Amino acid sequence: MLEVIGFVVVAYIAFKVIRRIFRETTRGTIRKALSYATEKGVPYDFGKKMIYNSEIIEKSIQLMGQQDPLFREKTVYIQYGEALIMLYHGFLSEK
């Protein structure tokens, strides 16, 4: 019985650690993408608002991947950053 309880506790702790690592990795990618986009002229507030809208970002990345076959070979934060840049240029052209 104690072995089962010990196994459950270890599994729970492992789950929490893995989830935390995944969350921090995702946040790091988002920070790098936002930094990349702001270096290329995207305002920080616009980028921060758009980066958390995952549907729009994913569709933008998918569209850019269809247009340029080498786009998928770029690192993830650059893909996200270039998607933000494309969205910002689209936003500017609408005004």
Side-chain angles (χ1 to χ4, degrees):
M1 182 67 167
L2 287 176
E3 292 93 11
V4 173
I5 293 172
F7 179 72
V8 169
V9 169
V10 169
Y12 177 75
I13 292 171
F15 171 74
K16 287 290 194 174
V17 168
I18 291 170
R19 192 170 100 182
R20 177 70 156 220
I21 290 170
F22 179 72
R23 184 181 307 140
E24 292 302 319
T25 303
T26 304
R27 285 182 184 167
T29 301
I30 287 173
R31 274 188 239 127
K32 283 182 178 180
L34 192 52
S35 175
Y36 178 81
T38 55
E39 288 175 3
K40 302 292 183 180
V42 176
Y44 180 79
D45 293 333
F46 178 84
K48 189 173 181 182
K49 183 172 58 172
M50 294 304 291
I51 197 77
Y52 290 108
N53 193 341
S54 61
E55 291 179 19
I56 292 175
I57 293 292
E58 290 299 323
K59 287 184 181 184
S60 300
I61 289 173
Q62 189 177 40
L63 177 67
M64 293 173 84
Q66 290 172 352
Q67 293 175 353
D68 181 16
L70 299 176
F71 181 75
R72 289 289 184 183
E73 294 179 9
K74 296 179 181 179
T75 57
V76 175
Y77 80 91
I78 292 176
Q79 290 179 13
Y80 275 74
E82 289 187 4
L84 284 173
I85 293 167
M86 182 187 78
L87 290 170
Y88 182 64
H89 288 300
F91 174 74
L92 290 178
S93 67
E94 287 180 0
K95 284 192 164 187

